[in-house]
């Protein structure tokens, strides 16, 4: 795939500075950028800088979506299965989800609440974005020995989670899971400081806004009013206005 690269003007990146930056970033991390820029180190550093800026710009919109999603899904699950729904066997959670819940509880007891069992709000707030996205999938094995498989469509989506997206018409669990799973991988790349510039970033931003609107349209407008994603996308790497 050919990736369009904005024109780059000369900047005071002398050899000594480039040597130090390459050592700080590591040759392995910079290699992706060097490949795209034909081995031009100054160009690669500017691309790395732009990647950092757009990653930082996406942090707020992704955070807003994650919090909205978590709270909406928790609200609907609690209405059907109780505040500690994650401990209710009727949810039919698979082995992977149950293991993540138990690990979350252990971490909370170890790090924050050694004298009391974690309360539902504490557990819910500590579960990862990936956990919530997984609840919109089909579900995996509940018991490896018996081969019993979860059926999230029947235990989670229909009785509870469909209602977490009240402003989406004719939404299926698959159509909710697919774009959120793409955003999960996007979020993880940002969290691990990986290159995101090859992605269709305009579409990632549009997906964040659309999914948020399924949950709470007013928050979508709040994100749009405060986000700088589009501004960074329109900013060339050689611009003095590029900040992260």
């Amino acid at each position: 795939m050919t990736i369009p690269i904005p024109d780059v003007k000369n900047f005071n990146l002398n050899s000594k500075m480039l040597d130090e930056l390459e050592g700080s970033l590591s040759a392995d991390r910079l290699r992706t950028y060097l490949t795209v820029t034909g081995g031009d180190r100054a160009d690669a550093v500017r691309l790395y800088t732009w990647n950092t800026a757009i990653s930082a710009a996406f942090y707020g919109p992704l955070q807003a979506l994650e919090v909205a999603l978590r709270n909406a899904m928790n609200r609907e699950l609690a209405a059907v299965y109780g505040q500690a729904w994650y401990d209710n066997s009727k949810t039919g959670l698979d082995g992977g989800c149950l293991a993540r819940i138990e690990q979350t509880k252990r971490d909370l007891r170890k790090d924050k609440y050694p004298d009391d069992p974690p309360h539902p709000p504490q557990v819910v707030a500590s579960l990862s974005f990936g956990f919530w996205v997984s609840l919109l999938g089909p579900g995996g094995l509940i018991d490896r020995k018996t081969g019993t498989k979860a059926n999230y469509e029947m235990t989670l989506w229909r009785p509870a989670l469909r209602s977490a997206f009240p402003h989406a018409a004719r939404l299926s669990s698959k159509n909710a899971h697919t774009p959120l799973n793409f955003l999960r991988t996007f979020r993880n790349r940002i969290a691990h400081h990986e290159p995101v510039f090859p992605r269709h970033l305009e579409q990632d931003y549009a997906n964040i806004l659309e999914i948020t609107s399924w949950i709470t349209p007013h928050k979508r407008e709040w994100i749009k009013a405060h986000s700088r994603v589009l501004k960074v996308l329109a900013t060339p790497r050689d611009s003095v206005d590029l900040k992260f």
Side-chain angles (χ1 to χ4, degrees), residues 1-231:
M1 179 178 65
T2 301
I3 302 168
I5 304 172
D7 291 337
V8 179
K9 73 175 184 181
N10 290 330
F11 183 69
N12 187 24
L13 286 171
N14 56 43
S15 296
K16 183 177 180 181
M17 184 183 296
L18 288 170
D19 288 343
E20 289 189 3
L21 285 171
E22 186 171 2
S24 173
L25 297 172
S26 84
D28 285 341
R29 181 169 293 276
L30 199 57
R31 186 174 294 117
T32 299
Y33 303 89
L34 286 166
T35 298
V36 172
T37 59
D40 185 324
R41 290 200 301 167
D43 197 355
V45 167
R46 293 188 184 99
L47 179 55
Y48 185 92
T49 304
W50 190 90
N51 190 84
T52 302
I54 195 62
S55 296
F58 265 106
Y59 178 85
L62 284 166
Q63 180 197 65
L65 171 59
E66 180 174 349
V67 171
L69 180 73
R70 179 181 74 200
N71 289 340
M73 292 176 67
N74 176 63
R75 180 188 66 237
E76 300 305 328
L77 288 167
V80 176
Y81 294 115
Q83 290 298 309
W85 52 266
Y86 46 81
D87 286 334
N88 189 335
S89 62
K90 292 181 180 179
T91 60
L93 297 179
D94 64 27
C97 283
L98 292 173
R100 278 184 274 182
I101 290 165
E102 289 309 309
Q103 184 61 54
T104 296
K105 291 179 182 178
R106 286 194 295 271
D107 291 343
L108 286 169
R109 284 192 291 267
K110 177 182 177 182
D111 299 334
K112 296 181 179 180
Y113 308 101
D115 300 323
D116 299 298
H119 299 300
Q122 297 159 353
V123 174
V124 167
S126 299
L127 291 167
S128 70
F129 186 45
F131 173 87
W132 297 102
V133 173
S134 74
L135 298 186
L136 298 169
L141 287 175
I142 296 176
D143 189 322
R144 291 185 180 278
K145 293 181 179 179
T146 63
T148 305
K149 199 171 184 295
N151 185 348
Y152 285 178
E153 176 73 23
M154 299 305 296
T155 63
L156 300 182
W157 179 254
R158 294 189 186 184
L161 295 183
R162 175 62 185 88
S163 299
F165 306 92
H167 302 282
R170 299 184 297 277
L171 183 67
S172 67
S173 57
K174 181 179 180 180
N175 288 341
H177 178 264
T178 298
L180 278 164
N181 201 38
F182 279 117
L183 289 175
R184 175 190 63 81
T185 62
F186 180 41
R187 178 192 181 280
N188 288 347
R189 290 195 69 80
I190 290 175
H192 292 94
H193 320 304
E194 297 293 335
V196 298
F197 66 87
R199 291 179 62 98
H200 297 293
L201 294 168
E202 294 89 348
Q203 188 59 54
D204 286 322
Y205 184 57
N207 287 346
I208 290 171
L209 294 177
E210 181 179 16
I211 297 168
T212 302
S213 74
W214 295 346
I215 304 167
T216 167
H218 286 96
K219 194 166 192 180
R220 175 187 185 273
E221 296 307 310
W222 179 75
I223 294 171
K224 285 181 64 179
H226 295 88
S227 172
R228 55 193 174 92
V229 167
L230 295 180
K231 181 179 180 180

